[in-house]
Amino acid sequence: MIRRLWPTERDLFREHLLRLDPVTRHQRFGTAVNDAFLDNYARTTFGVGGLVYAYIVDGAVRGAAELRGLDDIIAQTGEAAFSVEAPWRGRGVGAQLFGRLITAARNRSIRTLYLTCLPENAAMRRLAAKFEADLVGGYADVEGVIATGGPTPFTILDEALDNAKGFAAMALSLQKSFWPGALLARTFGA
């Protein structure tokens, strides 16, 4: 399931980042990063206007797409970033996350979406090209620029329905996590 993560689910995002292998961490952040960096990054992601969509399998985030507005730098711009754990790559997860992120950007009047990846990250370059990103490469990184267009009634409805479904899934997941313990307590008088 792909859905938006809510600030209360920050730990799911953090656990995903901590599971990334060293190569994937390097591809995501452009440099080697340690667990302390990832802890801090996850803690601040939701607090700075960040929006995270996640690919969730059995209650664990296995892929994430992040959107951050850059209005304080350039009006109507945002930055996108992606991470997918190695066992879940090559399954279309990145494309699904990318599509959700573009819809979210459009609905927030982000007309230009930027992303950066390493030159050796061919999978990310192919994914960006699939979404018609203009890619400009250099020695250290490749920058992609995507014109997202504006919101439409359909994109707003699509995101609203997706958020409602995601919120319901989160609520049911929380309820399930409490339910077995409550049932056992009532059954056995614990």
Side-chain angles (χ1 to χ4, degrees):
M1 164 183 263
I2 292 185
R3 67 172 178 82
R4 181 177 175 176
L5 284 184
W6 302 96
T8 57
E9 299 176 294
R10 177 179 290 120
D11 287 342
L12 291 175
F13 181 57
R14 182 183 62 80
E15 291 163 6
H16 160 68
L17 294 174
L18 291 171
R19 278 193 302 274
L20 297 176
D21 61 72
V23 171
T24 305
R25 287 181 181 194
H26 185 259
Q27 288 175 336
R28 164 58 189 89
F29 293 98
T31 188
V33 296
N34 61 25
D35 289 355
F37 172 88
L38 295 174
D39 277 333
N40 186 57
Y41 184 83
R43 188 172 35 259
T44 60
T45 295
F46 294 91
V48 293
L51 175 70
V52 179
Y53 277 88
Y55 174 65
I56 300 173
V57 178
D58 296 328
V61 172
R62 300 303 182 170
E66 304 163 53
L67 174 65
R68 293 176 187 256
L70 300 175
D71 276 343
D72 54 328
I73 300 170
I74 303 172
Q76 298 183 328
T77 61
E79 179 182 29
F82 300 87
S83 55
V84 177
E85 295 173 27
W88 282 268
R89 288 187 180 173
R91 300 179 184 197
V93 173
Q96 291 178 59
L97 288 167
F98 214 136
R100 294 265 201 243
L101 214 61
I102 289 175
T103 298
R106 290 179 71 171
N107 291 344
R108 284 155 185 77
S109 296
I110 294 174
R111 301 287 194 265
T112 306
L113 194 57
Y114 292 94
L115 62 96
T116 304
C117 69
L118 297 171
E120 62 269 20
N121 192 344
M124 189 65 230
R125 289 194 337 265
R126 281 191 305 273
L127 183 60
K130 180 178 180 175
F131 285 90
E132 301 178 1
D134 291 326
L135 298 172
V136 178
Y139 172 74
D141 61 17
V142 174
E143 184 175 281
V145 180
I146 298 172
T148 63
T152 69
F154 297 110
T155 62
I156 292 169
L157 181 61
D158 181 46
E159 185 177 8
L161 291 173
D162 183 57
N163 283 346
K165 183 176 72 173
F167 190 78
M170 179 200 63
L172 288 173
S173 175
L174 285 172
Q175 185 178 15
K176 270 195 238 178
S177 70
F178 294 115
W179 186 70
L183 180 62
L184 286 173
R186 274 187 272 131
T187 303
F188 298 105

